[in-house]
Amino acid sequence: MSAALDGVWEMMRAESGGENSQDLIALKVELEVGAGVYIVRFAGQIADRGTFSIDGNDAFILTGLEGPNQGRTIPCLFQRVGDRLRVCYGLDGIAPISFASPVGSTHYLATYRMKNRTA
C-alpha cells in the first residue's frame, strides 16, 4: 500500500485550523515519500525528515526524526486519485477521521500533485 504514496509530491493547497496557508505554497513545499522514509522540503531545502508506516487502507503514521517534528508521532489520513494526494495530518497526535481542518482544530489539510516517481 505504501506504493500509493511513493514519489515526490508538490503542495498545491494547504489549510490549517480553517485558514488557507498560502504562505507555504509560495515556499514550494515538497513531500517525498518512499522506502518507509519521508522528507519535507521548503524551496529545495530539507526542513523535516522521518519515517512513516502504513496504518490501514487510508492512513499512515509519521515519526519525526529531524526538524520541527523531531520526536513527534503524527497520524494521517490520505486519499490518492491519479496524480493527486490529499493528506489530513493530526498534529495533536490524534488520528483525523475526515478530510477537514475546522477552525480551532490542530488538523492540517494539504493537497499535493505528483512531481515525479522515486526510484
Side-chain angles (χ1 to χ4, degrees):
M1 185 56 150
S2 72
L5 298 172
D6 290 356
V8 178
W9 301 91
E10 181 178 30
M11 186 179 285
M12 298 171 50
R13 279 186 291 258
E15 183 180 310
S16 180
E19 302 276 327
N20 284 333
S21 297
Q22 291 301 320
D23 53 333
L24 287 179
I25 306 305
L27 289 175
K28 299 182 180 179
V29 176
E30 291 180 354
L31 170 65
E32 182 176 347
V33 181
V37 174
Y38 79 89
I39 298 171
V40 177
R41 291 183 183 86
F42 293 158
Q45 301 297 312
I46 294 175
D48 190 14
R49 181 188 325 234
T51 62
F52 79 94
S53 59
I54 298 297
D55 186 26
N57 292 329
D58 59 358
F60 62 95
I61 298 172
L62 300 177
T63 302
L65 299 177
E66 297 176 29
N69 291 312
Q70 182 175 3
R72 293 179 70 190
T73 299
I74 303 171
C76 305
L77 188 63
F78 79 92
Q79 177 185 50
R80 179 174 179 187
V81 178
D83 70 345
R84 299 289 192 264
L85 176 67
R86 189 164 57 153
V87 179
C88 189
Y89 300 88
L91 299 180
D92 57 0
I94 299 171
I97 57 171
S98 67
F99 292 99
S101 179
V103 173
S105 79
T106 57
H107 290 171
Y108 184 77
L109 180 61
T111 302
Y112 302 91
R113 174 180 51 220
M114 173 67 81
K115 187 170 180 183
N116 61 27
R117 299 291 293 178
T118 58

